[in-house]
Amino acid sequence: MLHTKSESDITSLAPSSPSRSPKRPVYFVQSPSRDSQDGDKSSSIQATPNFRSPMESPSHPSMGRHSRNSSSSRFSGIFRSHSGRKVHRKRNDKGWPECNVIVEEGKYDEYDDEKRLTRRLQALLALLSFIVLFTILCLIIWGAARPFKPEITVKSLAVNSLYIGQGSDSSGVITKMLTINSSLRLGVHNPATFFGVHVSSNAVNLVYSDIVIVTGQLKKYYQQRKSRRTAIVNLEATKVPLYGAGSSLVVSDAGVFEIPLKLEFEVRSKGEVVGKLVTTKHTSQISCNITLKSNTIKPIRFRKDSCILR
C-alpha cells in the first residue's frame, strides 16, 4: 500500500526549495461508484491530482463554478437500464440527466366535438324515426277511417205557402212573381265508430227552368260517432221574378197551379280522427226532381229513386 502524506507535510516542504519544486506524489481516493449499487461488488479507484493550495481541493466547500462542475461530475458516468444494457443519457445545464417527455398530440376539444356531433346525430335520427313512425300510424288510421262516409238522405219537403202573382222587378219590367215558404228535412247518419263529424252544406237551391228561385243554408253542426240526426233547412223566397219562364205556368181560376222544380245542394262532412292532424273529408252532391202543387198541404216524401246522390 502506498504511503500518503497530509497537506501539512506538503506545505512545510514548499519553502525549503524555492528554486525547484519537489516531485509531488499522486494519491488515490477510493469511493463507491454507481456500478456498485447495481450489484457489482468491485470499487472504482480514481486518481486525484495533488493541488497546490487547500482552496483548489475538491473537498473545500466552495460555491463557485468548480464546485458545480465537480458535483455534476459525480453524477456523470454510465447508467444501466433494467435489462442490463448501458444507456448513455444526455445532461442539461444543471447536470441532471435528461428524460424523454411524452408529448400528447391533439386536443381534448376534438373528442368533445365528436361526442356532441354524435349526440346531435342520435337525437336527429330519433326524431326522424319518430316522425316516420307517427306518419305511418296516421296513414293507417286515415285509411281505416276513409270508408266511414256519412249517409245523407232527403226525407221530405214541407210547403207552407206557394202562390204566383203579377208584379214588376226593380227595373220596372212586368213579370210573374213567385212566393214560397217551405222547409227541407235531411237525414244524416254517421257510421264511424271512433270519431264524430262536422256537417255543413253549400247553398240549397230550388231551380225552375235554370232560374234559382229559392236558396237555403244548412247550419254547421257536430254529430257524434254512430249516431243519426235530422237536419232542417228553411227555403223561403218572396216575389221572385220568373220573366219568360213564367209564361209556361198555367194558373187556374181558383189560383191552383203546378210547378216543376229541381232540388240541388251539396253536403260536406269533416271528421277529426286524431285531432286536427288526421282528418277525413267527404262531399255528397244531391239532386232531386219534384213537382209542387199550390194546394198541397201534406209534406212531399222523397223515394230513394227520386234523388241522385254523387
Side-chain angles (χ1 to χ4, degrees):
M1 180 180 295
L2 298 177
H3 179 69
T4 58
K5 294 181 180 182
S6 62
E7 294 180 359
S8 61
D9 296 336
I10 296 172
T11 54
S12 62
L13 294 174
S16 61
S17 55
S19 60
R20 184 179 179 181
S21 299
K23 184 178 180 182
R24 295 186 180 93
V26 178
Y27 65 92
F28 298 90
V29 177
Q30 183 176 356
S31 62
S33 64
R34 185 176 179 84
D35 297 338
S36 63
Q37 297 178 4
D38 295 336
D40 295 340
K41 300 299 182 178
S42 61
S43 302
S44 61
I45 300 176
Q46 181 179 0
T48 305
N50 194 5
F51 297 93
R52 296 180 181 179
S53 63
M55 295 298 293
E56 297 179 359
S57 176
S59 62
H60 189 272
S62 175
M63 298 301 293
R65 183 178 179 182
H66 176 73
S67 63
R68 289 195 299 268
N69 294 336
S70 62
S71 62
S72 63
S73 63
R74 295 174 189 172
F75 293 94
S76 62
I78 301 173
F79 291 90
R80 294 178 182 271
S81 62
H82 293 286
S83 60
R85 294 179 298 177
K86 295 181 179 181
V87 179
H88 294 274
R89 297 185 179 181
K90 297 180 180 180
R91 301 182 181 277
N92 53 18
D93 296 338
K94 295 183 178 181
W96 296 97
E98 295 182 356
C99 300
N100 294 329
V101 179
I102 299 175
V103 179
E104 297 182 358
E105 297 181 356
K107 298 180 180 179
Y108 290 103
D109 295 340
E110 297 178 357
Y111 298 99
D112 294 339
D113 294 340
E114 292 179 358
K115 290 181 180 179
R116 292 173 184 173
L117 182 60
T118 304
R119 291 176 181 176
R120 291 179 181 177
L121 183 60
Q122 291 176 353
L124 182 60
L125 291 176
L127 180 61
L128 291 177
S129 301
F130 174 77
I131 293 174
V132 171
L133 292 177
F134 184 75
T135 303
I136 294 174
L137 180 62
C138 290
L139 289 175
I140 293 173
I141 296 175
W142 178 80
R146 285 291 297 172
F148 295 99
K149 181 179 180 179
E151 299 175 359
I152 310 298
T153 57
V154 182
K155 289 187 173 183
S156 63
L157 177 64
V159 179
N160 298 324
S161 61
L162 176 63
Y163 62 92
I164 292 177
Q166 194 74 18
S168 60
D169 60 3
S170 58
S171 62
V173 177
I174 304 299
T175 183
K176 291 181 179 180
M177 300 288 185
L178 177 65
T179 299
I180 185 173
N181 184 6
S182 62
S183 59
L184 179 67
R185 297 171 66 90
L186 302 175
V188 182
H189 174 218
N190 180 20
T193 57
F194 56 93
F195 64 91
V197 292
H198 296 271
V199 181
S200 63
S201 73
N202 63 346
V204 180
N205 299 324
L206 281 175
V207 182
Y208 169 68
S209 185
D210 296 333
I211 299 174
V212 178
I213 60 175
V214 182
T215 299
Q217 185 73 39
L218 175 64
K219 293 182 180 180
K220 184 177 180 180
Y221 70 92
Y222 176 78
Q223 186 167 342
Q224 297 180 352
R225 60 187 181 89
K226 299 183 67 175
S227 62
R228 294 178 181 271
R229 182 170 178 174
T230 300
I232 299 176
V233 181
N234 293 324
L235 300 175
E236 297 180 359
T238 302
K239 295 182 179 181
V240 178
L242 299 179
Y243 299 108
S247 60
S248 60
L249 292 176
V250 178
V251 182
S252 65
D253 296 336
V256 178
F257 63 94
E258 293 182 357
I259 179 171
L261 300 175
K262 180 181 287 187
L263 178 65
E264 295 178 348
F265 64 98
E266 181 180 280
V267 177
R268 295 185 293 266
S269 61
K270 178 182 178 182
E272 295 180 354
V273 184
V274 184
K276 293 184 178 180
L277 296 177
V278 181
T279 60
T280 58
K281 296 181 180 180
H282 298 282
T283 303
S284 299
Q285 295 180 355
I286 300 172
S287 176
C288 304
N289 294 319
I290 58 174
T291 300
L292 297 181
K293 292 182 179 182
S294 59
N295 59 351
T296 302
I297 300 175
K298 294 181 180 180
I300 300 174
R301 301 287 180 177
F302 290 89
R303 298 190 303 268
K304 291 183 178 179
D305 57 351
S306 60
C307 294
I308 299 174
L309 180 63
R310 294 189 296 271

